[in-house]
Amino acid sequence: LSPGAKMGCFTFIKVIMIIFNLAIFLGGGALLGVGIWVTVDGESFVDIFGALSSSVLQVVNVSYFLIAIGAILMVIGFLGCCGAQKDSKCLLIMFFSVVLIIFIAEVAAAVVALVYTGLAETLLVTTVGPLLKEKYGSDTSFTYIWNITMTEVHCCGLNNYTDFTGSPWYNKYETYPVPCCDNRFRGSLPCAGPHLCGFFRQGCFKQILKEIRTHAGAVGGVAAGIAALEIAAMAVSMYLYCHLDQK
């Protein structure tokens, strides 16, 4: 290629890099804002977007998840956009490093999920489960979202009804949450004894995993698409890094 063609190619890739990372930055800002919104007023979020999405996202604690992902995307977008716009080798290599670390972490998580599925599930349950005993009945938004989730998914707790034993709700009312009790028994018997009335013994975690596995193809396709974008972003940033001196 002639010097002019090389320069034109470099400029085109640079513009694409800026636009792509500007979109990532804005998307990260939007996710961060939604995460803060869910943290402050989770009830309104569920009312607007529906209970179906909350049933899956509740297990991974949607508010903190969105805040973390949003912040990471904003950092990536800032590094990539400014690195390309300012022709900064330092920012470009930082962008490449951050995306590479995230890519490696995602691959490692996928391997753990595939090879050590039972261990991964156990770690998630032991991390999220205690939140029910700590916050259900005392945190209004948390309680509201879990009630919606249990009603829509027809489940009780993360593992089963015992997740609520010792929770602020149970300590106050000495009963289990109303969504845990079968419709046939609501109003006739208190949700105080699982052997007395019909509980949804199935925990929400297993129900949600079943839904995820049912749509495993779509989940895998999305994951593959994200991985491809990350590889493309690293390739473009390294191209710009290597060709800055030849600009």
Side-chain angles (χ1 to χ4, degrees):
L1 293 176
S2 64
K6 289 182 179 180
M7 185 63 186
C9 181
F10 178 88
T11 303
F12 174 76
I13 292 178
K14 175 180 175 178
V15 171
I16 293 298
M17 179 79 168
I18 293 173
I19 295 174
F20 177 72
N21 283 282
L22 180 60
I24 290 178
F25 180 84
L26 295 176
L31 287 178
L32 182 63
V34 171
I36 295 174
W37 174 23
V38 175
T39 302
V40 174
D41 190 10
E43 295 182 22
S44 297
F45 179 82
V46 174
D47 288 339
I48 292 174
F49 291 98
L52 185 59
S53 60
S54 76
S55 64
V56 175
L57 296 174
Q58 177 61 42
V59 173
V60 294
N61 206 334
V62 60
S63 58
Y64 299 116
F65 179 78
L66 290 177
I67 289 173
I69 295 298
I72 291 172
L73 288 178
M74 289 187 71
V75 170
I76 292 175
F78 174 81
L79 292 174
C81 190
C82 289
Q85 197 275 329
K86 296 180 178 298
D87 294 333
S88 170
K89 279 193 167 186
C90 179
L91 292 178
L92 285 173
I93 200 64
M94 286 178 65
F95 170 86
F96 177 87
S97 300
V98 171
V99 176
L100 179 61
I101 291 172
I102 293 174
F103 179 76
I104 293 173
E106 289 172 348
V107 171
V111 170
V112 170
L114 291 173
V115 179
Y116 302 104
T117 304
L119 176 60
E121 292 178 7
T122 301
L123 289 175
L124 183 58
V125 169
T126 55
T127 301
V128 180
L131 288 175
L132 285 172
K133 293 186 183 295
E134 177 186 342
K135 300 175 69 174
Y136 189 88
S138 60
D139 187 312
T140 304
S141 295
F142 182 86
T143 303
Y144 176 83
I145 292 174
W146 263 102
N147 284 340
I148 292 292
T149 298
M150 292 188 292
T151 301
E152 292 293 320
V153 183
H154 301 295
C155 57
C156 180
L158 192 63
N159 299 293
N160 52 50
Y161 69 92
T162 59
D163 289 333
F164 297 103
T165 304
S167 66
W169 173 277
Y170 186 84
N171 291 337
K172 182 177 181 179
Y173 299 105
E174 296 186 351
T175 64
Y176 293 95
V178 174
C180 284
C181 218
D182 192 292
N183 286 321
R184 294 171 298 172
F185 297 95
R186 287 181 188 172
S188 60
L189 287 172
C191 293
H195 59 290
L196 296 177
C197 64
F199 275 74
F200 293 121
R201 298 177 185 274
Q202 188 78 10
C204 295
F205 185 69
K206 292 182 179 179
Q207 294 287 83
I208 292 170
L209 280 182
K210 181 179 178 181
E211 289 294 321
I212 292 175
R213 285 165 180 162
T214 301
H215 301 89
V219 174
V222 172
I226 293 174
L229 285 176
E230 290 171 342
I231 293 173
M234 288 188 289
V236 170
S237 64
M238 188 52 61
Y239 172 86
L240 294 177
Y241 178 87
C242 294
H243 288 76
L244 277 178
D245 294 334
Q246 304 173 21
K247 189 179 68 165

